[in-house]
Amino acid sequence: MSGEFCSRTSKTIDKMQGMLIRMSCCTCLPAMHARLLALAHAALCVCRDAADKLALKRVPPEGSSEDLFSIYDGSKFVFRQSEWTTITLWRMVQRYWLTYFTFQAPKQMLQKFLRLYDIQSQGRSFDTPEAFLKELGLYDLTQQSMHSYLKKSLGSSTASRRFATEFVAAVNKVNYNQDSGLNAFAGMVSMLPTVNPDLFKIDGGNVQVPQLLLEHAHPDLHKTNVTKIVKSSDGTFQIETQDSSHMHGPFAAVVIATPLESSSIEFEGVELPHIPARKFQSTVSTFVRGHLNGSYFGLEARPKGAIMVSEHAGTPFSVISPAKQFPDKTILYKLFSTSAMQQQALSSIFTQHEVIGTFPWYAYPKFQPPEQFAPFKLADGLFYGNAWENAASCMEISAVSAMNSALLVQQKLNLTNAPMLINGAARNAAIEL
């Protein structure tokens, strides 16, 4: 994938990051299961405040029996959520004892993360992800696996091991399609909605946030691929695009808002710092209309709600989630997997089915602690918003990175009075942990 001039196309708008001082765009915040993947957390200020400033309506997720979840270990369901909260809590205690209730690490992570809003509202920026994460006290989480962190913090009791390999691993597979070998910070971000479920979505679609932010920024927008960035002797930049025979510019500053691993951008006149190699996780979304085969899961009737899987389940899917029921009682399911679902597997999982669509994509980095990061500041006037995407990949991480890019540009251009999206956001936020 080549970098795009000023923004990505509308097809990938959910992966946009901020390139202008008045613009901050988003990817996707992980949530409890696949039907909640398009939700944001109300405690996280940039995306929330962007929606409010754009007069977009924030609404809570709908609830129904199809929003329930179960955890499958490859042979049986080890945990099933009930429509009755009391029953669900009792099942939690039976399976995991008090581990779920005493697991406070995601909340502690959130308390540290929230400090960044005051930091950014003061106009402070960071040249590297390491400096940013160390300022927040979160860097060490990116240097160890979630598995190691859980083992140290929860101990080795049977209930703790079950909680780590079943509940935590299932949530991580839903949100990142990866097991608990991912870094502990990403694991905490993934788990946050399970312990502090203050979630919302935008009425009419989350895509409105980046679309309207782009409109409000009034950019000179070129929907094309960037092929080369050239730094001139006077310190300004020229940009070469795929659809033009001449260079665009000069520009005083450039923000790259696409992963360099998937870009073919060439650089001239710039000596780039070391950029660590980074792999991305392949995720395949398969939409299937039909009926689940209860016998595949060891049941007489079809299971309701989302089916999450434990760390060692060995299933061809990471999660199966109902998306819509049709008048003929067939259901549209969404499956996540690391590779394309084979017809033989689908015929076993469903009694009857029709594949509506299959969409492979590189959804997020393959987290491999200890994480190494590229700098936010590649050179004087050249900034890289995606540098800390392998710390954790979610809507707010991208938005915060976009804000940091905006602050770096502001400082480069000496724009002391530029309007900022989250001015005082943290001080005005009412957050109950």
Side-chain angles (χ1 to χ4, degrees), residues 145-167:
S145 70
M146 187 66 169
H147 182 271
S148 296
Y149 181 89
L150 293 173
K151 188 174 182 179
K152 288 186 291 185
S153 62
L154 299 180
S156 56
S157 69
T158 299
S160 296
R161 288 198 305 270
R162 285 176 176 172
F163 182 73
T165 60
E166 294 173 3
F167 191 88

Side-chain angles (χ1 to χ4, degrees), residues 344-357:
Q344 183 178 357
L346 291 172
S347 296
S348 298
I349 296 168
F350 295 89
T351 56
Q352 62 182 54
H353 74 276
E354 175 190 1
V355 177
I356 304 300

Side-chain angles (χ1 to χ4, degrees), residues 1 12 49 107 194 289 298 315-316 332 379 428:
M1 181 192 303
T12 56
D49 286 6
K107 288 186 178 182
T194 72
R289 180 176 180 175
T315 57
L332 179 67
N428 296 331

Side-chain angles (χ1 to χ4, degrees), residues 197-364:
D198 190 7
L199 304 172
F200 71 89
K201 63 180 182 179
I202 300 302
D203 190 25
N206 293 345
V207 71
Q208 296 171 91
V209 176
Q211 284 177 337
L212 291 176
L213 284 170
L214 187 61
E215 290 179 14
H216 280 249
H218 302 296
D220 181 10
L221 181 64
H222 299 254
K223 290 187 175 182
T224 183
N225 289 331
V226 169
T227 55
K228 182 183 288 188
I229 297 174
V230 179
K231 188 170 186 179
S232 305
S233 57
D234 63 359
T236 61
F237 294 88
Q238 303 278 340
I239 292 178
E240 180 182 275
T241 59
Q242 195 174 50
D243 66 345
S244 178
S245 58
H246 67 277
M247 302 289 284
H248 300 269
F251 300 102
V254 172
V255 176
I256 299 170
T258 188
L260 287 174
E261 296 86 350
S262 58
S263 169
S264 58
I265 299 174
E266 296 179 11
F267 295 88
E268 186 177 308
V270 179
E271 185 175 343
L272 294 179
H274 172 65
I275 298 176
R278 190 171 56 177
K279 297 180 180 179
F280 277 70
Q281 175 65 51
S282 172
T283 293
V284 181
S285 300
T286 305
F287 291 86
V288 178
R289 180 176 180 175
H291 294 285
L292 283 175
N293 180 8
S295 63
Y296 177 90
F297 301 97
L299 302 175
E300 293 183 3
R302 77 166 179 88
K304 291 184 177 181
I307 299 171
M308 304 158 69
V309 297
S310 65
E311 185 159 1
H312 305 297
T315 57
F317 58 87
S318 301
V319 64
I320 300 176
S321 181
K324 177 182 179 181
Q325 182 167 319
F326 296 96
D328 64 0
K329 303 301 182 181
T330 59
I331 296 175
L332 179 67
Y333 290 93
K334 179 167 64 175
L335 292 78
F336 284 173
S337 56
T338 56
S339 58
M341 293 292 298
Q342 299 300 310
Q343 190 60 235
Q344 183 178 357
L346 291 172
S347 296
S348 298
I349 296 168
F350 295 89
T351 56
Q352 62 182 54
H353 74 276
E354 175 190 1
V355 177
I356 304 300
T358 300
F359 305 94
W361 53 308
Y362 288 102
Y364 12 66

